[in-house]
Amino acid sequence: MQIGELARSTGVKIETIRYYEREQLLPVPQRTDGNYRLYSPRHVEQLRFIRYCRSLDMSLEEVRLLIEARDAPAGSCLTVNALLDEKIAEVDARVNELHKLQDQLRQLRGLCQQPDEVKTCGILMELNRSARIDKAQI
Amino acid sequence: MQIGELARSTGVKIETIRYYEREQLLPVPQRTDGNYRLYSPRHVEQLRFIRYCRSLDMSLEEVRLLIEARDAPAGSCLTVNALLDEKIAEVDARVNELHKLQDQLRQLRGLCQQPDEVKTCGILMELNRSARIDKAQI
DNA sequence: TGAAAAGCCTGAAGTGGCTTCAGGGTCAAG
DNA sequence: CTTGACCCTGAAGCCACTTCAGGCTTTTCA
């Protein structure tokens, strides 16, 4: 299987696949006589594994750890547990932040319902006011 | 006011201030004979404005737009409204994504309550399974 | 047979929003 | 006169890719 087919069958861009190889997340593939990469079903699985982890918001470094743990013949999965717990905490924190942000943005948007002139626009007035009293620091 | 004092009084790192100047978000300051930057209260305000916008998750490009709109003598604030509406939609979408992610992560985490061996670890088994059936694509 | 088109290759640079680093110059206090 | 705090510049590093420039290989079709 050439790189184009791998890309089509996984929905991952060709350049990204080559990038993962450079980053040692995908094993080095065989080559044809014309120097084209040749992939096996094992590569397909590994690539899907990487993309699934990425869809769970893991960094490539974390994916590397998971691959290592997965390939360890009889290691403990403490690492995996810790990684997931950390990730869950991160996501929870980010959601809380974004909820606050939603409130702030909606409140701000409420200050200018009809397109007015800049000099009387409630949004810009509030942006300036907030900046002056340094709301962001609280 | 020198750059150190500006940094202290706004909580923005010196390097970041210089970066904003390079990016033309802060007006070029005066210089002393010894080539030190000299800031005015106007710079303090502008810097706080930038940071407040950044705390609302705006990109520097968006901040640039807001500064332009703010400084336009009598422009309409349609741009500002559109920008905020877009931002609100973005944040809403991101929150929804993260909620789904929370579910997935918690479910995954539930698969391995006590530190077991990798070869029987429910988490790794599920990561592999999900990758195989390509859950991420749905 | 020959040329175009599709597919692949490499290495380098660009993205955003900074941070870090190397190697200096300036200025006030002791 | 030297120490230390403060400042300067330009370049490189971070992450996870993406884009670009320039060229090779293979297939297709006239």
Side-chain angles (χ1 to χ4, degrees):
Chain A
M1 179 191 284
Q2 290 184 182
I3 199 168
E5 200 189 331
L6 179 59
R8 269 190 305 279
S9 74
T10 56
V12 180
K13 286 196 177 185
I14 289 178
E15 295 82 7
T16 306
I17 296 173
R18 287 197 283 245
Y19 170 73
Y20 288 159
E21 182 184 329
R22 266 201 312 285
E23 293 295 307
Q24 321 213 51
L25 284 157
L26 276 178
V28 175
Q30 284 188 273
R31 297 278 182 144
T32 64
D33 290 351
N35 201 31
Y36 285 14
R37 288 170 176 82
L38 271 187
Y39 294 99
S40 68
R42 166 146 166 51
H43 287 98
V44 184
E45 272 199 44
Q46 180 102 331
L47 184 52
R48 284 193 212 269
F49 183 85
I50 295 169
R51 296 307 288 195
Y52 182 61
C53 291
R54 293 284 300 127
S55 82
L56 297 178
D57 245 26
M58 314 220 176
S59 70
L60 292 186
E61 196 45 49
E62 289 166 333
V63 178
R64 227 185 300 269
L65 279 177
L66 285 179
I67 289 175
E68 250 175 57
R70 193 194 51 175
D71 294 349
S76 125
C77 57
L78 274 173
T79 321
V80 180
N81 285 346
L83 203 155
L84 266 188
D85 285 339
E86 208 183 312
K87 193 78 353 203
I88 288 169
E90 264 175 42
V91 174
D92 287 356
R94 185 64 184 147
V95 166
N96 286 338
E97 268 178 36
L98 286 184
H99 277 319
K100 277 185 214 150
L101 185 52
Q102 277 179 324
D103 284 351
Q104 281 204 288
L105 287 175
R106 277 195 233 287
Q107 217 181 330
L108 200 53
R109 183 59 182 85
L111 296 179
C112 179
Q113 294 301 351
Q114 66 275 22
D116 214 336
E117 274 202 9
V118 163
K119 64 172 180 254
T120 57
C121 171
I123 295 177
L124 283 170
M125 279 163 53
E126 173 60 18
L127 281 174
N128 277 314
R129 203 188 62 80
S130 294
R132 269 199 304 285
I133 65 166
D134 210 5
K135 208 173 182 177
Q137 298 260 21
I138 300 175
Chain B
M1 177 192 284
Q2 290 183 185
I3 200 167
E5 200 189 330
L6 178 58
R8 268 190 305 281
S9 74
T10 56
V12 180
K13 286 197 177 184
I14 289 179
E15 295 82 7
T16 307
I17 296 173
R18 286 198 282 245
Y19 171 72
Y20 288 160
E21 183 183 328
R22 265 202 312 286
E23 294 295 307
Q24 321 214 51
L25 284 156
L26 277 178
V28 175
Q30 284 189 273
R31 298 278 183 145
T32 65
D33 291 350
N35 202 31
Y36 286 13
R37 286 171 178 83
L38 271 187
Y39 294 99
S40 68
R42 165 147 166 51
H43 288 98
V44 183
E45 271 198 45
Q46 179 102 332
L47 184 52
R48 284 194 213 269
F49 183 84
I50 295 169
R51 296 308 288 195
Y52 181 62
C53 291
R54 293 285 300 129
S55 83
L56 297 179
D57 246 27
M58 314 221 175
S59 71
L60 292 187
E61 197 44 50
E62 288 166 335
V63 177
R64 226 186 300 270
L65 279 178
L66 285 179
I67 289 175
E68 248 174 61
R70 192 195 53 176
D71 294 349
S76 124
C77 57
L78 275 172
T79 321
V80 180
N81 285 347
L83 202 155
L84 266 187
D85 285 339
E86 207 184 314
K87 191 79 354 204
I88 288 169
E90 265 175 41
V91 174
D92 287 356
R94 185 66 184 146
V95 166
N96 286 338
E97 269 179 34
L98 287 183
H99 278 319
K100 279 186 212 148
L101 184 53
Q102 277 179 323
D103 284 351
Q104 283 204 286
L105 287 175
R106 278 195 231 288
Q107 215 182 331
L108 201 54
R109 182 60 182 85
L111 297 179
C112 179
Q113 294 301 348
Q114 66 275 19
D116 213 335
E117 275 201 7
V118 163
K119 63 172 178 249
T120 57
C121 172
I123 295 178
L124 283 171
M125 279 163 52
E126 173 60 18
L127 281 176
N128 278 313
R129 202 188 62 79
S130 293
R132 269 198 305 284
I133 64 165
D134 210 7
K135 208 174 182 176
Q137 298 259 22
I138 302 173

